[in-house]
Amino acid sequence: MTTEVSKTRSSFYRRLYVAWLIDSQTATSVPALMEATGMPRRTAQDTIAALSDLDIVCEFEQQPGARNHAGHYRIRDWGAIDKQWIIQHLRQLREVLGYP
């Protein structure tokens, strides 16, 4: 793999990785995504919002009785994305994105 990665590829990989983190229940909230990746809050929020561009359906589930948007995200549909490809390439995605 080349050391120079296009913005388009890194953005695509970031979306795939965030979707996987949510789906695997590794990180299902913005603070958890920030902790898992080191990305700023706004980047995490924008990445979640951009999942729909890939036809990935990600929904926020409010905790019953909770206030102030307490809850978690859940992937409802992966669209045309092959989740198994992501699982097989997790190390590569982390390396390209510089995530732990």
Side-chain angles (χ1 to χ4, degrees), residues 30-47:
V30 171
L33 287 168
M34 293 167 57
E35 184 177 329
T37 63
M39 69 175 67
R41 174 175 291 278
R42 186 67 188 175
T43 303
Q45 292 169 329
D46 290 349
T47 303

Side-chain angles (χ1 to χ4, degrees), residues 1-73:
M1 176 173 295
T2 62
T3 56
E4 188 68 28
V5 178
S6 72
K7 287 183 181 183
T8 301
R9 178 172 291 184
S10 63
S11 175
F12 179 65
Y13 281 3
R14 184 178 309 107
R15 292 175 192 184
L16 295 180
Y17 189 59
V18 164
W20 177 83
L21 287 170
I22 292 169
D23 192 61
S24 67
Q25 298 184 0
T26 302
T28 60
S29 66
V30 171
L33 287 168
M34 293 167 57
E35 184 177 329
T37 63
M39 69 175 67
R41 174 175 291 278
R42 186 67 188 175
T43 303
Q45 292 169 329
D46 290 349
T47 303
I48 292 169
L51 294 177
S52 64
D53 292 344
L54 301 178
D55 288 334
I56 296 174
V57 179
C58 180
E59 296 175 348
F60 185 78
E61 295 182 346
Q62 182 80 22
Q63 256 180 324
R67 297 175 8 171
N68 299 329
H69 301 290
H72 61 273
Y73 288 95

